[in-house]
Amino acid sequence: AVETYHRLSEEVRDIKEGFAEGVNHFIRTYEGDEDMLPTWAEPDFTGHDVAARDIGWAEADDVGDFVDTLKADEEDRVRSETYEVPADNQQGEDGSNSWALAPSRTTSGNAILVRNPHLSWEAGYYEVHFTVPDVINFYGDFRIGGPFTTIGGFNQHLGFSTTNNGPRNHEIYALEVDPETPDHYRFDGASVPIQRDEVTVEFESGEGLATETHERLSTPLGPVIHRGDGWIYVLRDGNHGEYRVGEQLFRMMTATSLEEWKEAAAMRARPRSNFVYADREGNIHYLWNASTPSLPHPAGGDTLAVPASSSSDVWSSLVPYDSLPSLTNPTGGYVRNENDSFHFTNLHEPLDEDDFPDHFEDPSLRLRSQHALELLHNQRVFTLEEVVELKHSTRMLLADRVKEDLLDALQAEALDSDVAEAADLIDEWDNRVAAESEGAVLFRTWWNRYRQQAGTDVSPMVEDPGLFREPWTQNRPMETPHGLADREAAVDAFEEAVDVTADRWGSWDVAWGDVHRARRGNLDLPVGGCAGVFGCIRVLWFENGEDGKRRVRGGDGWVFAVEFGEQPRAYSVLAYGQSAREDSPYHTNQLRTFARNDMKRVPFTDDERAEVVERIYHPGEEAESSAD
């Protein structure tokens, strides 16, 4: 951070230094208050400290998984052309939804942008209107700990939002150790020394301090992540050492046109995001952003280290920005992403996988993405308020795909009376997970039992093709997966689910919201929504509460929808509130709004803010209360 700080623009340095001084002011204000500060905190933060949080490196999980599996397999591995590590097919449930609608799809003739991240309710994001006169005027989400960690928002000209994508921004190379010279490797016909750094860290040990020293190995190609069996494994990452993420986000937040915004995005300091964009001029745009290398060899993927003996074996440049997948103002007037690949951003103009390198994402379109496309891929024209309502769809697309097969299988069996009545409930259920929906709890319990009956050991967040009569195919992306692969297992699972649901919740026709709760502070509210793997757009993740009911732990939390007219007109909601402190009035004040699938108006202009302001405060000065 110190070495690169002078390369940042003066505006970005000023903001980082202002942020650091804000931290220092906070420390001085609460010095000695152990409820507010750790005892070690001193008011000595600088812009360098803030910049240090922006330095980029490879995804730790990518490296850790590779090394862990390599170590486990090392004794059995046989030297060959490549060094394979078994793949791990467990997937998480991270995700977000992001949509943009062109003027042709809105009643006002203005573009609309929707931002809907799926995060833990402990993620530390908050919403703020960030303004510095003549410098920045941006409304969005920021993360505790830095001034530029934003994943979506808007200014008076344009807005953008992100979803996580899956680029491979690195390659792992296997370099042969020089058997004649310790701590050297063979490369370009020479014996090259491994570079060594020692890092010593001081830490508390009992009532005193102690130090520990670790050795860090590296090469000009990148850091050494593992050594063994006559090889060193080197990570060469397109984002390693990147320091401009704050600069890129600042330029995006202050851009006034699509071209200015694209110039900022081309920095690629934020390299693992899909960007969805809309502006006052009526443009909509999608970008799969990545610092992915232009490989001189077939990609190793997540499981291979590529042998390298010369410079010609390793990548030396990135895939050009203009060659990344993108789409501007397409037919049909929409772009969207829900963490699947870029290929089906718009069904009128799908992006052909043959136009991109083999190590780019494979085509995918899971149920959550298909749900979004069913809402958007039509001729409907929306008001901003109708888009807000659309975003809160409680439909479970999985039920649309498999319920008919389930009912057919049940009707072919001689069922006990309770099971037959439960089947009638599923037949009458409208396939939604609204708080009042009866049948949704039983269906979800059945699906999890069916997975077990069908013999799959895949994570419940994975849409396992072995469960469906017709798995997902690229040729029928919006009609598959469909049907049940094992009807006998489905019937057995349903009979079990009726008993399990009744035993756990008191009845098998219990309403979704009686089981699924939004709990924060002293509020305990019924709430609709489900995990994305079930095809829900209103995504909520649940965990067991102390009373056995299911409580929200993450998913939808901060959501906004904005229309770009002469001035932006927007709605937002932050379900878990601006403050994590339970004694704050802003801890639970938005939860009721969220639970009823609603949002609040965003005051963007000076006049709009004047109508709702509660307090005006400058550090070191007495607060001014509003008139009422």
Side-chain angles (χ1 to χ4, degrees):
V2 174
E3 292 170 357
T4 57
Y5 193 71
H6 67 282
R7 301 182 188 177
L8 300 173
S9 68
E10 183 177 0
E11 296 97 332
V12 168
R13 294 198 306 271
D14 284 347
I15 291 173
K16 289 180 183 289
E17 288 159 17
F19 187 91
E21 182 51 32
V23 174
N24 292 332
H25 174 78
F26 185 86
I27 293 171
R28 288 190 291 267
T29 300
Y30 292 100
E31 185 177 6
D33 185 344
E34 294 187 6
D35 290 335
M36 297 294 288
L37 286 173
T39 56
W40 55 260
E42 297 286 345
D44 57 3
F45 282 83
T46 70
H48 290 162
D49 295 312
V50 181
R53 296 196 69 231
D54 288 344
I55 303 299
W57 57 83
E59 290 292 312
D61 288 346
D62 293 339
V63 175
D65 290 347
F66 180 90
V67 172
D68 288 347
T69 313
L70 190 67
K71 287 179 179 178
D73 194 43
E74 209 158 54
E75 293 183 2
D76 299 327
R77 185 164 29 82
V78 177
R79 180 176 177 180
S80 61
E81 186 176 344
T82 55
Y83 301 88
E84 184 166 2
V85 181
D88 180 358
N89 63 359
Q90 303 297 307
Q91 298 180 19
E93 52 178 335
D94 61 327
S96 303
N97 307 323
S98 189
W99 308 339
L101 294 172
S104 62
R105 299 296 306 280
T106 68
T107 57
S108 65
N110 299 320
I112 290 177
L113 176 71
V114 175
R115 169 64 181 145
N116 177 204
H118 301 149
L119 299 164
S120 164
W121 280 17
E122 307 297 330
Y125 282 91
Y126 59 98
E127 60 179 328
V128 68
H129 194 163
F130 183 10
T131 63
V132 178
D134 301 320
V135 177
I136 189 170
N137 180 19
F138 185 84
Y139 194 100
D141 68 300
F142 294 84
R143 195 168 191 171
I144 293 170
F148 294 118
T149 307
T150 181
I151 52 176
F154 55 93
N155 61 31
Q156 63 270 43
H157 304 283
L158 56 84
F160 63 89
S161 64
T162 62
T163 65
N164 294 337
N165 63 355
R168 183 173 174 83
N169 290 327
H170 66 269
E171 188 62 276
I172 296 173
Y173 291 104
L175 310 178
E176 190 170 12
V177 172
D178 185 346
E180 304 297 327
T181 310
D183 295 330
H184 285 57
Y185 61 95
R186 302 293 303 176
F187 196 72
D188 282 334
S191 181
V192 184
I194 300 172
Q195 300 168 3
R196 293 176 176 272
D197 275 322
E198 285 192 348
V199 180
T200 300
V201 176
E202 191 175 61
F203 62 95
E204 290 185 5
S205 178
E207 295 184 357
L209 296 175
T211 61
E212 186 166 333
T213 298
H214 284 263
E215 184 179 64
R216 183 171 58 195
L217 306 180
S218 63
T219 75
L221 300 179
V224 176
I225 61 173
H226 185 61
R227 303 174 70 183
D229 200 25
W231 300 86
I232 63 171
Y233 296 87
V234 172
L235 179 78
R236 184 159 177 76
D237 188 274
N239 193 49
H240 187 71
E242 176 59 68
Y243 63 92
R244 301 170 300 165
V245 64
E247 187 84 42
Q248 176 180 326
L249 290 171
F250 173 76
R251 289 176 58 183
M252 285 179 160
M253 289 188 281
T254 56
T256 62
S257 68
L258 176 57
E259 288 309 309
E260 283 185 14
W261 186 90
K262 288 169 70 174
E263 288 175 5
M267 296 172 68
R268 291 193 274 184
R270 178 72 178 264
R272 297 180 70 92
S273 292
N274 300 287
F275 283 97
V276 173
Y277 166 103
D279 66 27
R280 191 167 65 181
E281 300 302 315
N283 297 302
I284 61 173
H285 177 69
Y286 164 83
L287 169 67
W288 186 85
N289 207 19
S291 296
T292 190
S294 181
L295 299 177
H297 51 73
D302 295 333
T303 61
L304 300 176
V306 176
S309 60
S310 70
S311 297
S312 61
D313 295 327
V314 301
W315 68 264
S316 59
S317 62
L318 301 179
V319 172
Y321 173 80
D322 290 341
S323 297
L324 297 176
S326 66
L327 202 57
T328 304
N329 298 330
T331 302
Y334 71 87
V335 292
R336 35 63 49 198
N337 187 270
E338 295 78 27
N339 302 104
D340 277 314
S341 70
F342 51 81
H343 302 85
F344 303 102
T345 297
N346 179 295
L347 292 181
H348 295 286
E349 299 183 26
L351 298 173
D352 191 337
E353 62 181 313
D354 293 336
D355 292 338
F356 304 100
D358 290 341
H359 64 285
F360 279 27
E361 289 180 306
D362 292 330
S364 65
L365 197 69
R366 290 170 293 183
L367 290 173
R368 176 161 55 95
S369 298
Q370 292 181 43
H371 187 166
L373 280 163
E374 288 191 3
L375 296 174
L376 300 176
H377 185 68
N378 49 51
Q379 301 300 314
R380 187 176 172 186
V381 177
F382 301 97
T383 65
L384 178 60
E385 289 72 20
E386 287 170 338
V387 171
V388 169
E389 182 181 357
L390 204 70
K391 156 63 204 87
H392 291 301
S393 168
T394 56
R395 183 173 161 213
M396 181 195 282
L397 189 60
L398 175 67
D400 292 356
R401 299 299 176 81
V402 302
K403 193 171 87 170
E404 183 179 355
D405 268 18
L406 170 62
L407 293 174
D408 285 347
L410 291 171
Q411 289 171 2
E413 301 291 331
L415 303 175
D416 291 343
S417 58
D418 275 0
V419 176
E421 289 179 24
D424 290 339
L425 175 68
I426 295 298
D427 190 18
E428 295 167 3
W429 171 50
D430 63 1
N431 298 357
R432 298 184 182 277
V433 287
E436 65 275 10
S437 295
E438 296 180 0
V441 174
L442 176 59
F443 181 88
R444 187 189 188 284
T445 305
W446 162 74
W447 179 254
N448 288 335
R449 292 277 161 174
Y450 168 64
R451 287 184 54 258
Q452 297 168 10
Q453 291 280 353
T456 178
D457 59 356
V458 180
S459 162
M461 302 316 302
V462 176
E463 292 164 12
D464 180 12
L467 300 175
F468 298 99
R469 173 165 43 86
E470 188 178 359
W472 184 81
T473 64
Q474 189 175 345
N475 294 331
R476 300 184 66 222
M478 289 292 291
E479 294 80 30
T480 54
H482 194 275
L484 295 172
D486 190 337
R487 291 194 175 199
E488 181 178 349
V491 171
D492 292 343
F494 189 80
E495 291 174 334
E496 288 184 14
V498 172
D499 291 337
V500 168
T501 306
D503 288 345
R504 184 169 183 183
W505 309 116
S507 65
W508 43 257
D509 60 353
V510 62
W512 184 263
D514 289 343
V515 171
H516 298 85
R517 314 294 294 183
R519 290 174 169 171
R520 195 160 180 83
N522 59 0
L523 293 183
D524 182 1
L525 306 173
V527 66
C530 70
V533 71
F534 294 98
C536 282
I537 282 291
R538 181 173 164 84
V539 170
L540 290 177
W541 313 324
F542 295 91
E543 62 186 1
N544 291 331
E546 292 181 0
D547 60 354
K549 292 192 175 183
R550 306 280 288 164
R551 66 184 180 196
V552 178
R553 65 174 179 84
D556 282 16
W558 185 69
V559 188
F560 78 77
V562 56
E563 179 180 67
F564 292 99
E566 185 174 343
Q567 289 289 346
R569 189 170 72 91
Y571 293 91
S572 76
V573 67
L574 183 68
Y576 46 84
Q578 287 284 86
S579 176
R581 297 177 65 88
E582 293 192 6
D583 59 353
S584 168
Y586 309 107
H587 183 63
T588 61
N589 64 318
Q590 298 188 56
L591 190 61
R592 291 187 188 278
T593 301
F594 177 82
R596 66 172 181 263
N597 298 355
D598 204 356
M599 298 188 194
K600 64 187 184 300
R601 278 294 303 271
V602 172
F604 187 81
T605 67
D606 291 342
D607 290 343
E608 289 170 339
R609 287 196 300 274
E611 292 178 3
V612 297
V613 66
E614 293 188 13
R615 190 166 67 121
I616 298 173
Y617 168 72
H618 297 91
E621 300 177 9
E622 183 130 355
E624 302 174 16
S625 298
S626 64
D628 49 4

